[in-house]
Amino acid sequence: MLSAVSPGGARLLTVTHDQEALVAHRLVDGSADPEPEAELRAEEVIPRHPEADPDDPEVEAFWDYEAGFLDEHTVIAGTVESDEESGAGRYWIVDLTGRGTVEPLVRPHPVTGTARALGDGTWYTVSPTDHVVRIRGLR
């Protein structure tokens, strides 16, 4: 499933149907067939939720379908849907330069709602009651 197009239009971001992998694709020389650039399998890069029952073997993280480009090389993606059984949903900053490192998003306020990238290094969320919009950035 297509999640996002990078601000410069050179990359696409998809999530596999089973939500096991977040895949960045690069468009090369105007080709209509994007080349896979990085495939991040949730089971390999996302740690078990810290509040998950350690005795439950069925607890596993998977990517949310919605993710976005913060800039040409950085993605914000969530595991909120898979985390809801264990506790608060988590968001991840994915650096596509190099091998695709994944770091947890740590902010002074919890991220509520779906994080939607604006493409300029910022993203916004809407509170669960839809009364507050918060715009946040990496800096």
Side-chain angles (χ1 to χ4, degrees):
M1 177 176 159
L2 179 64
S3 286
V5 177
S6 68
R11 288 185 164 132
L12 303 175
L13 190 64
T14 62
V15 176
T16 57
H17 180 71
D18 58 12
Q19 297 175 275
E20 290 180 1
L22 181 71
V23 185
H25 308 266
R26 180 178 285 284
L27 297 172
V28 180
D29 299 327
S31 169
D33 295 322
E35 295 179 4
E37 178 180 30
E39 182 173 316
L40 303 163
R41 300 196 67 73
E43 65 189 25
E44 296 171 2
V45 298
I46 304 297
R48 185 179 180 88
H49 196 285
E51 297 171 37
D53 179 353
D55 298 324
D56 186 349
E58 294 187 19
V59 172
E60 59 184 316
F62 54 83
W63 296 108
D64 294 340
Y65 282 121
E66 191 163 338
F69 283 92
L70 294 172
D71 57 34
E72 203 63 35
H73 306 285
T74 313
V75 168
I76 186 167
T79 53
V80 175
E81 188 178 337
S82 65
D83 292 341
E84 67 187 0
E85 295 288 324
S86 301
R90 298 174 293 170
Y91 283 93
W92 308 91
I93 301 299
V94 179
D95 181 356
L96 295 176
T97 59
R99 301 197 76 221
T101 59
V102 178
E103 298 291 331
L105 175 64
V106 179
R107 303 298 298 171
H109 305 286
V111 178
T112 58
T114 302
R116 293 185 171 92
L118 296 174
D120 63 354
T122 62
W123 67 91
Y124 73 93
T125 59
V126 179
S127 73
T129 59
D130 296 334
H131 294 253
V132 177
V133 174
R134 289 194 173 103
I135 298 175
R136 300 172 178 164
L138 292 173
R139 297 154 202 56

